[in-house]
Amino acid sequence: MHPTDFTLAGAVAALAEGAISAEELTRAHVDAVEALNPRINAFITTTPEQAMEAARASDAKRARGEAGPLEGIPLAIKDLFCTAGVQTTAGSRILGGFVPPYESTVTANLKRDGAVFLGKANLDEFAMGSSNLTSAYGGVANPWSRRNDPEVRLVPGGSSGGSAAAVAARMALGATGTDTGGSIRQPAAFCGIAGIKPTYGRCSRFGIVAFASSLDQAGPFGRTVEDCAILLRSMAGFDPKDSTSADRPVPDFAAACTRSVKGLRIGVPKEYRLDGTPPEIERLWRQGLDWLRDAGAEIVDITLPHTKYALPTYYIVAPAEASSNLARYDGVRFGLRVAEAGFDLRDLYERTRAAGFGQEVRRRIMIGTYVLSAGYYDAYYLKAQKVRALIARDFTQAFAGVDAIVTPATPSAAFAEGENSDDPIQMYLNDVFTVTANLAGLPGLAVPAGLDPQGLPLGLQVIGRPFDEETVFAVGAALERAADFKALPSTRAGA
């Protein structure tokens, strides 16, 4: 087996058995990044020398009997996580050249457990987007292509598109992402891999460049549900540096992947049956429910009546929080500074932000500033927060009668670059199945489960109770076993 063909779980086992060294495993992935990144643009910054040095250190630790649970595993890190000594850009010109002196808690946890970092993965600027085309460092190409039109470049989804593309193309064994309204689950579905947004508070937000603080949550990408479970156990945990971090024990998520779903009640929300949804999405959803029924689960119709307000609520709350968080980028302390003789402070702010922020970020800052303004705060932001509470209550009531909820992950397969780009509303609709979990703070897992007529991957989503990722992983693993999804993208290491 070529080293890039391992799953993360398989690589952990092979390293433990001595079948491969961390240096060999990392070299194969460094070579894959070097070969494929010019085409896919999954990485903004690559760190091959640091990766190989870390891999040799991992082999030495293993020889001393000190190996951590991720010892020698090469990962991609979304360029929203601060990494000490390595440039962190958030996909924006305004942070170009910013090298943090500190490490985010999530990446520190991964390093503690022995992970090797290959570099910083591309993303939509400040995590704002559903296509990974808003990055100041160029768009990311999905490694998948349409059967009848293989030359058309497809988007990998966003905002964590670089992370998802790197894992799908066999450039990394796993990756970190962040999910504010679907930014892990949508790219995972578009790229034919697994990805989970855990419960809000499960992973620390310390050292993650903020977009919308009450919605942002870190999570992993993997080639399998088990890979995500292994990564999440290392990423998660209480952090006193983050006031929203939950002080709860971190279970063995991988063990949950072997649980039976027999006797579980699976909810099917009628509000997720939307007009205009492609028939292949509906068919896959029905097939997924049949698979769970065959595995012994009970399928239950439920209602989430305020779902229809989720997208407008999200696109008030998220820009409002973004406008506050991004006010710190002013050209004074770090990042880009546009200054000339004769500029006053206002000139510095205006010119720096105009040059540093892209169109989508400026759009959301303006929307957020508007809804927080004195004349409109009550009419928009306060009302949106009230609706958000109703959306969360819908889930609480639904989970009184079901153990998990299964829905489509996205309303379509990956679309081509340029499609929807002139219509931001159409682009925002890509989050229609995912934003509710963020608004309610719930865990959501995307599982690859089938192909559309053009041979592109489609995913199913599992939503669970707060801090019940174990049930989410059990249901996701059951869907994964039944789907037996083995299709691979045409652009990948070893192809």
Side-chain angles (χ1 to χ4, degrees):
M1 175 186 288
H2 192 271
T4 59
D5 288 331
F6 281 112
T7 62
L8 188 146
V12 168
L15 287 164
E17 295 163 2
I20 193 170
S21 69
E23 187 171 1
E24 291 169 329
L25 186 65
T26 301
R27 170 54 61 192
H29 286 87
V30 165
D31 290 346
V33 172
E34 183 179 354
L36 293 175
N37 202 53
R39 295 161 60 189
I40 295 178
N41 199 31
F43 288 86
I44 293 174
T45 303
T46 58
T47 55
E49 294 84 7
Q50 294 97 313
M52 294 309 302
E53 183 181 346
R56 288 188 284 270
S58 284
D59 284 332
K61 285 178 66 178
R62 192 174 295 279
R64 297 194 301 268
E66 300 172 358
L70 293 176
E71 200 66 62
I73 296 297
L75 302 177
I77 304 300
K78 184 177 182 178
D79 202 15
L80 207 65
F81 293 80
C82 287
T83 42
V86 178
Q87 176 179 248
T88 299
T89 71
S92 180
R93 289 186 186 89
I94 209 160
L95 276 177
F98 171 60
V99 179
Y102 59 93
E103 194 80 25
S104 77
T105 297
V106 165
T107 52
N109 289 350
L110 292 169
K111 282 186 175 180
R112 173 202 66 202
D113 286 354
V116 172
F117 295 171
L118 297 166
K120 306 300 287 295
N122 207 342
L123 68 152
D124 281 304
E125 185 180 6
F126 281 102
M128 298 182 194
S130 302
S131 64
N132 218 144
L133 297 178
T134 71
S135 171
Y137 301 90
V140 177
N142 194 320
W144 292 78
S145 58
R146 291 171 177 160
R147 284 190 186 127
N148 69 346
D149 207 351
E151 299 306 313
V152 171
R153 280 171 59 102
L154 305 177
V155 304
S159 64
S160 308
S163 295
V167 175
R170 300 330 194 226
M171 300 161 77
L173 282 172
T176 66
T178 61
D179 193 311
T180 306
S183 291
I184 290 174
R185 290 159 290 158
Q186 187 235 24
F190 277 10
C191 291
I193 60 173
I196 184 170
K197 180 202 85 72
T199 307
Y200 183 79
R202 176 66 85 180
C203 294
S204 171
R205 292 187 300 110
F206 176 80
I208 300 174
V209 178
F211 164 16
S213 300
S214 74
L215 300 165
D216 299 343
Q217 184 57 202
F221 290 95
R223 295 175 192 168
T224 67
V225 172
E226 183 186 17
D227 287 356
C228 290
I230 293 170
L231 283 171
L232 182 59
R233 190 176 190 188
S234 289
M235 293 170 65
F238 175 64
D239 179 11
K241 296 190 291 293
D242 174 10
S243 63
T244 63
S245 176
D247 190 2
R248 300 176 69 104
V250 179
D252 182 353
F253 297 120
C257 294
T258 62
R259 288 187 186 175
S260 169
V261 298
K262 187 174 183 179
L264 292 184
R265 291 167 60 85
I266 306 298
V268 183
K270 66 180 184 180
E271 289 80 10
Y272 280 58
R273 291 191 169 94
L274 304 177
D275 292 339
T277 301
E280 58 267 25
I281 300 287
E282 287 282 351
R283 282 196 298 270
L284 184 67
W285 192 11
R286 288 195 298 271
Q287 178 66 75
L289 297 173
D290 288 342
W291 286 330
L292 293 173
R293 188 181 288 109
D294 292 343
E298 180 183 354
I299 308 303
V300 180
D301 289 328
I302 62 171
T303 182
L304 300 169
H306 293 93
T307 292
K308 61 184 176 182
Y309 304 117
L311 269 178
T313 298
Y314 174 82
Y315 281 103
I316 290 173
V317 173
E321 296 185 8
S323 72
S324 296
N325 279 323
L326 271 61
R328 72 193 69 178
Y329 303 106
D330 51 16
V332 174
R333 287 161 294 180
F334 48 79
L336 180 70
R337 174 182 292 187
V338 179
E340 296 178 12
F343 274 13
D344 62 16
L345 189 61
R346 179 167 179 162
D347 291 329
L348 172 67
Y349 288 173
E350 289 179 350
R351 301 295 181 89
T352 298
R353 289 171 175 166
F357 290 138
Q359 183 180 31
E360 182 60 32
V361 172
R362 291 199 298 267
R363 178 186 292 119
R364 297 198 194 193
I365 289 173
M366 287 190 291
I367 292 170
T369 303
Y370 177 81
V371 302
L372 289 177
S373 61
Y376 299 98
Y377 180 89
D378 290 349
Y380 291 104
Y381 184 72
L382 192 60
K383 187 173 291 185
Q385 291 289 19
K386 291 177 179 178
V387 176
R388 180 181 185 175
L390 295 175
I391 291 168
R393 189 179 69 182
D394 287 349
F395 279 103
T396 300
Q397 292 172 346
F399 280 120
V402 299
D403 300 290
I405 295 169
V406 172
T407 75
T410 60
S412 71
F415 50 89
E417 292 184 9
E419 291 180 12
N420 305 329
S421 60
D422 294 331
D423 185 351
I425 302 301
Q426 209 46 45
M427 194 71 80
Y428 297 165
L429 290 173
N430 281 283
D431 302 328
V432 66
F433 294 136
T434 53
V435 296
T436 51
N438 297 83
L439 290 167
L442 304 174
L445 169 70
V447 183
L451 298 173
D452 82 343
Q454 290 298 321
L456 299 178
L458 300 172
L460 292 171
Q461 177 181 217
V462 184
I463 301 173
R465 296 187 181 97
F467 299 102
D468 189 17
E469 286 87 358
E470 290 171 283
T471 298
V472 171
F473 279 123
V475 175
L479 289 170
E480 183 179 61
R481 286 190 294 271
D484 195 27
F485 185 88
K486 289 189 167 63
L488 294 172
S490 56
T491 303
R492 66 183 188 280

Coordinates of all heavy atoms in Angstrom, one line a residue, residues 340-373:
E340 N 0.7 56.7 4.2 CA 1.5 57.6 3.4 C 1.6 58.9 4.2 O 0.9 59.2 5.1 CB 0.9 57.8 2.0 CG 0.8 56.6 1.2 CD 0.2 56.9 -0.2 OE1 0.0 58.1 -0.5 OE2 -0.2 55.9 -0.9
A341 N 2.6 59.7 3.8 CA 2.8 61.0 4.4 C 1.5 61.8 4.3 O 0.9 61.9 3.2 CB 4.0 61.7 3.8
G342 N 1.1 62.4 5.4 CA -0.1 63.2 5.4 C -1.4 62.5 5.8 O -2.4 63.1 6.0
F343 N -1.3 61.2 5.9 CA -2.4 60.4 6.4 C -2.7 60.7 7.8 O -1.8 60.7 8.7 CB -2.2 58.9 6.2 CG -2.5 58.3 4.9 CD1 -2.7 59.1 3.8 CD2 -2.6 56.9 4.7 CE1 -3.0 58.6 2.5 CE2 -2.8 56.4 3.4 CZ -3.0 57.3 2.4
D344 N -4.0 60.9 8.2 CA -4.4 60.9 9.6 C -4.9 59.5 9.9 O -4.9 58.6 9.1 CB -5.4 62.0 9.9 CG -6.7 61.8 9.1 OD1 -7.0 60.7 8.6 OD2 -7.5 62.7 9.0
L345 N -5.3 59.3 11.2 CA -5.7 58.0 11.7 C -6.9 57.4 10.8 O -6.9 56.2 10.5 CB -6.1 58.1 13.1 CG -6.3 56.7 13.8 CD1 -5.1 55.9 13.8 CD2 -6.8 56.9 15.3
R346 N -7.8 58.3 10.5 CA -9.0 57.8 9.7 C -8.5 57.3 8.3 O -9.0 56.3 7.8 CB -10.0 58.9 9.5 CG -11.2 58.6 8.7 CD -12.3 59.5 8.8 NE -13.5 59.2 8.0 CZ -14.7 59.6 8.2 NH1 -14.9 60.5 9.2 NH2 -15.7 59.3 7.4
D347 N -7.6 58.1 7.7 CA -7.1 57.6 6.4 C -6.4 56.3 6.5 O -6.6 55.4 5.7 CB -6.0 58.7 5.9 CG -6.6 60.0 5.5 OD1 -7.8 60.0 5.0 OD2 -6.0 61.0 5.6
L348 N -5.6 56.1 7.6 CA -5.0 54.8 7.8 C -6.0 53.7 7.9 O -5.8 52.6 7.2 CB -4.1 54.9 9.1 CG -3.5 53.5 9.6 CD1 -2.5 53.1 8.6 CD2 -3.0 53.7 11.0
Y349 N -7.0 53.9 8.7 CA -8.0 52.8 8.8 C -8.7 52.5 7.5 O -8.8 51.4 7.1 CB -9.1 53.3 9.8 CG -8.7 53.3 11.3 CD1 -9.6 53.8 12.2 CD2 -7.5 52.8 11.7 CE1 -9.3 53.9 13.6 CE2 -7.2 52.8 13.1 CZ -8.1 53.4 14.0 OH -7.8 53.4 15.3
E350 N -9.2 53.6 6.8 CA -9.9 53.4 5.6 C -9.1 52.7 4.5 O -9.5 51.8 3.8 CB -10.5 54.8 5.1 CG -11.6 55.3 6.0 CD -12.1 56.7 5.5 OE1 -11.4 57.2 4.6 OE2 -13.1 57.1 6.0
R351 N -7.9 53.2 4.3 CA -7.0 52.7 3.2 C -6.6 51.3 3.5 O -6.5 50.4 2.6 CB -5.8 53.6 3.0 CG -6.1 55.1 2.7 CD -6.8 55.2 1.3 NE -7.1 56.6 1.0 CZ -6.3 57.4 0.4 NH1 -5.1 57.0 0.0 NH2 -6.6 58.7 0.2
T352 N -6.3 51.0 4.8 CA -5.8 49.7 5.1 C -6.9 48.7 4.9 O -6.8 47.6 4.3 CB -5.3 49.6 6.6 OG1 -4.2 50.5 6.7 CG2 -4.9 48.2 7.0
R353 N -8.1 49.0 5.4 CA -9.3 48.1 5.3 C -9.7 47.9 3.9 O -10.1 46.8 3.4 CB -10.4 48.5 6.2 CG -10.1 48.3 7.7 CD -11.1 49.0 8.6 NE -10.8 48.7 10.0 CZ -11.3 49.3 11.0 NH1 -12.2 50.3 10.8 NH2 -11.0 49.0 12.3
A354 N -9.7 49.0 3.1 CA -10.1 48.9 1.7 C -9.1 48.0 0.9 O -9.6 47.2 0.1 CB -10.1 50.3 1.1
A355 N -7.8 48.1 1.2 CA -6.9 47.2 0.5 C -6.8 45.8 1.1 O -6.5 44.9 0.4 CB -5.5 47.9 0.6
G356 N -7.1 45.7 2.4 CA -6.9 44.4 3.0 C -8.1 43.4 3.0 O -7.9 42.2 3.0
F357 N -9.3 43.9 3.0 CA -10.5 43.1 3.0 C -11.0 42.9 1.6 O -11.1 43.8 0.8 CB -11.6 43.7 3.8 CG -11.3 43.7 5.3 CD1 -11.6 44.9 6.1 CD2 -10.8 42.6 6.0 CE1 -11.4 44.9 7.5 CE2 -10.6 42.6 7.3 CZ -10.9 43.8 8.1
G358 N -11.5 41.7 1.3 CA -12.1 41.3 0.0 C -13.6 41.7 0.0 O -14.1 42.1 1.0
Q359 N -14.2 41.5 -1.1 CA -15.6 42.0 -1.3 C -16.5 41.3 -0.4 O -17.4 42.0 0.2 CB -16.0 41.7 -2.8 CG -17.4 42.2 -3.1 CD -17.7 41.9 -4.6 OE1 -17.3 40.9 -5.2 NE2 -18.5 42.8 -5.2
E360 N -16.4 40.0 -0.2 CA -17.4 39.3 0.6 C -17.3 39.7 2.1 O -18.2 39.9 2.8 CB -17.2 37.8 0.5 CG -18.2 37.0 1.4 CD -19.7 37.2 1.0 OE1 -20.0 37.5 -0.2 OE2 -20.5 37.1 1.9
V361 N -16.0 39.9 2.6 CA -15.8 40.3 3.9 C -16.4 41.8 4.1 O -17.0 42.0 5.1 CB -14.3 40.3 4.3 CG1 -14.0 40.9 5.6 CG2 -13.8 38.8 4.3
R362 N -16.1 42.6 3.2 CA -16.7 44.0 3.3 C -18.2 44.0 3.3 O -18.8 44.7 4.0 CB -16.1 44.9 2.1 CG -14.7 45.1 2.2 CD -14.3 46.3 1.3 NE -14.6 46.1 -0.1 CZ -13.7 45.7 -1.0 NH1 -12.5 45.3 -0.6 NH2 -14.0 45.5 -2.3
R363 N -18.8 43.1 2.5 CA -20.2 43.0 2.4 C -20.8 42.6 3.8 O -21.7 43.2 4.3 CB -20.7 42.0 1.4 CG -22.2 41.8 1.3 CD -22.5 40.6 0.4 NE -22.2 41.0 -1.0 CZ -21.4 40.4 -1.8 NH1 -20.8 39.3 -1.4 NH2 -21.2 40.7 -3.1
R364 N -20.2 41.6 4.4 CA -20.7 41.2 5.7 C -20.4 42.2 6.8 O -21.2 42.3 7.8 CB -20.1 39.8 6.0 CG -20.5 38.7 5.0 CD -20.3 37.3 5.5 NE -20.4 36.3 4.4 CZ -20.5 35.0 4.6 NH1 -20.6 34.5 5.8 NH2 -20.6 34.2 3.6
I365 N -19.3 42.9 6.8 CA -19.0 43.9 7.8 C -20.1 45.0 7.7 O -20.6 45.5 8.7 CB -17.6 44.5 7.6 CG1 -16.6 43.5 8.0 CG2 -17.5 45.8 8.4 CD1 -15.1 43.9 7.7
M366 N -20.5 45.4 6.4 CA -21.5 46.4 6.3 C -22.8 46.0 6.7 O -23.6 46.7 7.4 CB -21.5 46.9 4.8 CG -20.3 47.7 4.4 SD -20.4 48.5 2.8 CE -20.3 47.1 1.7
I367 N -23.2 44.7 6.4 CA -24.5 44.2 6.9 C -24.5 44.2 8.4 O -25.5 44.6 9.0 CB -24.7 42.8 6.3 CG1 -24.9 42.8 4.8 CG2 -25.9 42.1 7.0 CD1 -25.0 41.5 4.1
G368 N -23.4 43.7 9.0 CA -23.3 43.5 10.4 C -23.4 44.9 11.1 O -24.1 45.0 12.2
T369 N -22.7 45.9 10.6 CA -22.7 47.2 11.2 C -24.1 47.8 11.1 O -24.6 48.4 12.0 CB -21.7 48.1 10.5 OG1 -20.4 47.5 10.5 CG2 -21.6 49.5 11.1
Y370 N -24.8 47.6 10.0 CA -26.1 48.1 9.8 C -27.1 47.5 10.8 O -27.8 48.2 11.5 CB -26.6 47.8 8.4 CG -28.0 48.2 8.1 CD1 -28.3 49.5 7.7 CD2 -29.0 47.3 8.1 CE1 -29.6 49.9 7.4 CE2 -30.3 47.7 7.8 CZ -30.6 49.0 7.5 OH -31.9 49.4 7.2
V371 N -27.1 46.2 11.0 CA -28.1 45.6 11.9 C -27.7 45.8 13.4 O -28.6 45.7 14.2 CB -28.2 44.0 11.7 CG1 -28.6 43.7 10.2 CG2 -26.9 43.3 12.0
L372 N -26.5 46.3 13.7 CA -26.2 46.6 15.0 C -26.3 48.1 15.3 O -26.1 48.6 16.4 CB -24.7 46.2 15.4 CG -24.4 44.7 15.5 CD1 -22.9 44.5 15.7 CD2 -25.3 44.1 16.6
S373 N -26.7 48.9 14.3 CA -26.7 50.3 14.5 C -27.9 50.7 15.3 O -28.9 49.9 15.5 CB -26.9 51.0 13.1 OG -28.0 50.6 12.4

